[in-house]
Amino acid sequence: MAGPNGPNNQNDNRKRPSLGFIGIVVWAILLVVLLNSCVVSMRSASTITVPYSTFREWVVSDYVAEVEMDNYGYYFTLKDDAAPLQEYKDKIKNSGSTSLSVSNLLMDQLGSNQKNKLKFQAAMPPVQDQEIIPLMSEHGVKYKSEMITSEQSMLMAVVSYVLPTLILVVAMVFLYRYMFKKMGGGGLGGLGGVGKANAKVYVEKSTGVTFRDVAGQDEAKESLEEIIDFLHHPQRYTEIGAKLPKGALLVGPPGTGKTLLAKAVAGEANVPFFSISGSDFVEMFVGVGASRVRDLFKEANKMAPCIIFIDEIDTIGKSRDNRMGGNDEREQTLNQLLAELDGFDPGKGIIVLGATNRPEVLDKALLRPGRFDRRITIDRPNLAGRLATLQVHTRKIRLAEDVDLNKIAQATAGCVGADLANLVNEAALRAVRQGRKAVNQQDLLSSFEFVIAGSEKKGTVLTEQEKRMVAYHEVGHALVAHFQKNNAMPVSKITIVPHTQGALGYTLHLPEEEKFLMTEEDLLAEIRSLLAGRSAEEVVFASRSSGAANDIERATDIARKMVTMFGMSEKYGMMGLATVHNQYLDGQLGLTCGQETAAGIDNEVRAIIERCHGEAIQILKDNRELLDKIAAYLLEKETITGAEMVAIIEGRDPALAEVTLDSNIEPPARAIHMVSEPVPMPPASSQEPEQDKEPEANSDGDQTPDGEKPDQPQE
C-alpha cells in the first residue's frame, strides 16, 4: 500500500512532462511559421517585381542576362548595358520611390557595389507559355529551372500543412487527457479518468486517531466497539452463524465529531480507511457517479478488511420520490450504491460508515436492514461529555493552576465538540496576545464570550438616553429572572457594553446543574424573563425600542412549541400540530394542520405571550425601587456581576460582594438550549400532579416516552 506521499509525487512527475511537451510543440509551430514568413519576406524585399509582359519584351530586346525559373515565377537579371537597368538604378538613387517596391535591402545592395546586378521578378502567367523557352534560347539568355516535381510538391505540402496540423492534434490530445486527469483524480478509468474514485486511503499511522481522541460520545463508541471486534475477529461471528453488519449510519448535528469517530474506528481496528464525500460521486457526466461507486468497492475489496466512510451521504442518498426533485445522475449513483451494499461479502470485513445531519431526506431503501443495519446518534454532549471533551482538547495546551474545566463545561451548555475546540484555541491565542506562557481561567472565560458574542465594540458611542434604556432593559431581564429563582437560571453577569455581533448589552444566566426536562412553569418563566426587557422599557420610559427583537423571537418560538408540540394549550390539548424539519440543523417547525387551526394557534401563542408579558410588568412594578437602584449602579459600572445585583436586592454594599470568575462570561445570545441548560426542578412536595406527566422538550422538539415523570432519574 502506498503511503500518502508516494502516489502524489508520481502523479506530479507524470504531469510535468505533459506540460513540457505541449510547450515544446507550441514553440516549434511558432518557429516554423516565423521562419517561413521571414524567408518569403526577405526574398520579396530583395527583388523588383515587373509584369510578365515586360519580362517577355525585355527577352525579345536582348536585355535579359540570366533567368531562374521555379513553380512560382521567373527571377532574372539584366545585362550591364541594358537601358532599363540604368533607368531603375537612377530612379533608386534619386528618389527611393516606394512605387518601385524598393526596400532598404535594395538600397544597400545598390550603394555597396554598383557592379551588382539588380534582381527582377516576374510572376507566372495565368496560362502556360510554351514559347518562352525557345524564345530565351533564341536570344542567348542563360536559364536554369528549379521546377518542383509532383512528389516534391506533395512532400512540401505534408511538411507545410499536414505535419503542423498533426502536431497540434497530438498536443490537444495530451492537453485533453491532462485536464480530465486533474478533474477525475488520475487513472485511465472512464473518460480521461473521470470515473475513477477520488477516495483517500488512510492507514492507522496517517489517521492517528483512536477512541482516546474522542470524548463525550460514550454511547456511540460502545455501539462501534462491536464493529471493531468484528474487524479483528470475524470468525467469532461467522462460526455461530451470525450475519455481520454491513454498515452503520452516524447521525447528529454539525460539529459533534462524526468524521472523527469514523477515523477513530479505523484507528482502533488498525485497518485501511477509505474516506470519500457524497459530492465526489456526482459530476457533470451522467454515469460517472455509478462508475466511481463500483471503483470504490472494487478497491476496498482488494484491501479488505477495511472501512469505507461516506461523509454527507445525503448528497447521493436523497429519497427518490418526486417531492425531492429528479436527478438522473444522483439516482443512478444511489442505485449503484444500493447494489454494491447488497453485493459485497461482509465476511471479508468491509464495513460502510455513512455520516449525515439530514437523516429525514434519506431514501428508505438505503436505511433498511441489510444495508445500513445500525443508526448511531451522535448528539450534543452533556456536562460530563463536555468536561471530557475539554480535557481532550487541552491535553497539548499549557494550563495555569487556576483553570477549572468544570466551570467551563457548565457554562458551555449546548456546545458541540467543534465549539469547545474553537474555545480552547481562542483561549490559547489570547494568552499569547497577553504575553503569557500558560492559559488561565480568565482566558477560557473570555474566549467563550468572544466566540458567542464577539469582541467589545470600543468605538460605539451611545447617547445617555440609549444607555439608560439599555441598562433598564438588561436589569429588567435579570430582576424578573431573580424573582423566579425556582424556575429560572441564576444571573451571572449584566453588561451594557456593545459587542460586535449586534448586542448593545446582555444578561448572562448560568445553569447550576445539568437538566434534561422542562415543565410548563419552567417554559413560562423563560418567556417572562425574555419579555422582561421590553416590560422594563414600558414601565420606566412608557416607550418601546428595537432592542427586544431577539427576545420576542425566542419567546414566540417557545410559546409556539408549547402549543403545537408539547400539548400545553387549553384549547388544543395534547394534539400534535407540527413536526420538526431538519432537527439536526435549523430545527424549523412545519405545521400539520389546516388554515383555521393555524389561525387558532396564532391566537393561543399570542395569549401566552401577553399573559407572560403582563406578569413580567407586574413583577417590575412591585420592585420598581430595586429596578432603579440596580440600573443606576449598572450605568456607573457598565458591567456588574450577579453577586453585586443580589447584594443590592438584599440591602448590602455591592462593592463588598463576592466576585466570581463567572462574571466575565458572555451569554449565549443566539439560541435557548432547552435540554442542555439545567433549570432547577421544584421540590417534589410543591409539584402539582398534572405537571408530573409533562413531556420533555429539547431543541429538536423530541419528547420523553409516555409515563416518565420529571422527578424520575433520566438515563
Side-chain angles (χ1 to χ4, degrees), residues 29 55 145 230 362 442:
I29 295 173
F55 164 68
S145 174
F230 156 63
L362 294 179
Q442 187 62 46

Side-chain angles (χ1 to χ4, degrees), residues 554-602:
R554 293 156 62 188
T556 304
D557 181 65
I558 296 175
R560 189 171 298 276
K561 287 182 178 179
M562 291 176 64
V563 175
T564 59
M565 298 186 65
F566 304 156
M568 297 179 181
S569 168
E570 296 295 335
K571 181 177 181 180
Y572 296 105
M574 293 182 295
M575 181 178 177
L577 301 173
T579 58
V580 177
H581 300 305
N582 299 333
Q583 64 177 5
Y584 296 116
L585 295 176
D586 52 13
Q588 292 294 324
L589 294 180
L591 294 180
T592 56
C593 59
Q595 294 182 355
E596 295 182 0
T597 305
I601 291 173
D602 291 338

Side-chain angles (χ1 to χ4, degrees), residues 460-467 470 496-498 504:
T460 302
V461 179
L462 300 178
T463 64
E464 290 299 325
Q465 179 64 17
E466 288 175 334
K467 272 189 175 182
V470 172
I496 57 173
V497 178
L504 296 178

Side-chain angles (χ1 to χ4, degrees), residues 661-697:
L661 290 174
D662 298 337
S663 60
N664 291 314
I665 305 177
E666 179 76 13
R670 290 179 294 183
I672 302 172
H673 305 291
M674 292 189 289
V675 170
S676 302
E677 295 182 355
V679 177
M681 292 291 296
S685 59
S686 64
Q687 290 185 354
E688 298 179 6
E690 61 269 21
Q691 292 179 341
D692 289 343
K693 294 185 180 180
E694 294 294 349
E696 176 187 1

Side-chain angles (χ1 to χ4, degrees), residues 410 413 481 484-490 509-526 672-682 687 697 710:
Q410 188 176 1
Q484 300 179 110
K485 193 169 183 180
N486 291 334
N487 300 100
M489 292 179 288
H509 305 269
L510 281 185
E512 293 181 334
E513 60 183 0
E514 193 81 359
K515 186 174 168 85
F516 300 97
L517 186 68
M518 295 190 78
T519 64
E520 182 178 2
E521 184 56 36
D522 294 335
L523 297 172
L524 292 175
E526 185 70 28
I672 302 172
H673 305 291
M674 292 189 289
V675 170
S676 302
E677 295 182 355
V679 177
M681 292 291 296
Q687 290 185 354

